[in-house]
Each structure stands twice: as C-alpha cells, then as structure tokens.
Amino acid sequence: MDADPYAGFPPGFFDRSDEAPDAGFYRSPRLVTHIDDGAIAAVGQLYADLGIDGDAPRPVRVLDLMSSWVSHFGTPPAELVVLGMNAAELAANPAATERLVHDLNADPRVPLPDDDVDAVVCCVSIDYLTRPVEVLAEAARVLRPGGHLAITYSNRCFPTKAVRGWLATDDQQHGAVVAELVRRAGGFTEPTVQLRTRPGTGDPLYAVTATRLA
C-alpha cells in the first residue's frame, strides 16, 4: 500500500455521522436480512459461479467478512469462517464452521494466518468500513494465490454507520469506489464490477470481484 492509501479521496469521505464505538451499535443481535429474496439469490448464484460454495469440485475454505446469522450461500462451503461484531448472530449462522468476533474498524487485521482461505466474501457491508484499504490488504494476505475476492452491495444501509462518501454517491459510483479500494489494497487482479440482478425488479445486487495474484 501507499504511505497514504486514501490520497485523493475528499476529506471526511470515510467519516460517519455516528462515530461512537461500533461495539455499542451492534451489541443487540439483528436476526434479519438486509436485502430481498432476489438479491439474496443473486449472492448465492455469484458464489456458485465463482466456484466457492459447497458444489465446488473440491472442498473450499471461505472467509465471510462482517458476517451475521446468514451467509447467503446456496450450498455452504466445506469450511466457512464467519467474522463479525455480534457473537449471538454468528452463533446462529448454521453454515459457519469457525466464528471470530472482531471489530475491523477498531483493528483492520484479520486474525487468520497467511494463505489460509480459498475465498473472501463481504456481503452488503463494505460501506461501513472506515479503513477499507487496510482490511482489503488483509483479505489479500489471508487468501491463497488464485483465490477469489467477492464484495457485494445494494442500496440499503444503516445511514449513521455508513461512511459519508458512500451516502454521497450512487450505485454506479459505489462500484468505482470499491474497485479503487481493491486496487489500492494491492495483490489482486483488476477488479470487475457487475449488476447481478435484473434492473427494476427489487433490491439491486452489485458485485465487485477480483483474484489474488500469485
């Protein structure tokens, strides 16, 4: 990463209106889904298309960043490490094989060894990261060469906890922002941005994907 991985972003882009510690905001479990059924299905189809679910030709180990009680795999992978803020939510995730309670805004380091997973996913949560380049650099570190990064987002969020730059930009600009964050993290192929749902049929689901370089 550069000395200043956020050079060129407007001042305050990664600030939030609620700068209180996230542990308080996420203390109570929210056993709800944050996107509709069509968008959820699109997430599962993305994971299947990337070959990182339980139908992959070989068993895969996946890290789900900023996870919750559900990870939206059509068929869960052989190993699923879920990292999130609320222990009760993670405990309720039936696909999880390993659970890590960890606040990435307080400490962007991922508590896993190098080259540990075949894929890293982050579902509708990238907008809450205040140090996303550092987190994505950690994603590159824990990924095995050739492993997939899959970041999905929609048009819903908790506005007080989303960064100001996200709230000030639209869906197309969000894709450009996330792709640039992946570039700045380093270690990935050029990211691809796709709309994975049919326009005008419910919650949109966008995906930014890249592959870990050797």
Side-chain angles (χ1 to χ4, degrees), residues 14 24 26 36 40 54 60 63 69 75 115-117 124 139 143 149 151 166 174 180-181 186 188 199-201 207:
F14 296 98
Y26 293 104
D36 66 17
I40 289 171
V60 294
L63 169 62
W69 68 285
T75 305
D115 304 332
D116 186 57
V117 298
V124 297
L143 268 171
L149 173 71
I151 301 167
W166 191 269
H174 292 160
E180 179 61 18
L181 295 173
F188 292 104
T201 58

Side-chain angles (χ1 to χ4, degrees), residues 176-201:
V177 168
V178 176
E180 179 61 18
L181 295 173
V182 173
R183 292 186 195 103
R184 294 187 183 208
F188 292 104
T189 59
E190 175 62 19
T192 299
V193 183
Q194 292 180 302
L195 174 63
R196 300 285 301 190
T197 48
R198 192 178 307 169
T201 58

Side-chain angles (χ1 to χ4, degrees), residues 23-106:
F25 184 83
Y26 293 104
R27 182 174 294 117
S28 298
R30 295 178 174 88
L31 301 182
V32 298
T33 53
H34 301 287
I35 47 178
D36 66 17
D37 289 345
I40 289 171
V43 175
Q45 188 59 55
L46 171 68
Y47 297 163
D49 290 348
L50 292 174
I52 60 172
D53 65 0
D55 294 324
R58 62 175 181 82
V60 294
R61 176 172 167 83
V62 179
L63 169 62
D64 185 3
L65 289 177
M66 306 176 77
S67 189
S68 180
W69 68 285
V70 61
S71 293
H72 302 321
F73 284 86
T75 305
E79 295 182 58
L80 180 63
V81 183
V82 293
L83 183 153
M85 290 286 296
N86 187 280
E89 291 182 10
L90 300 183
N93 190 323
T97 59
E98 186 176 343
R99 296 165 175 86
L100 302 171
V101 178
H102 185 72
D103 182 351
L104 290 170
N105 283 339

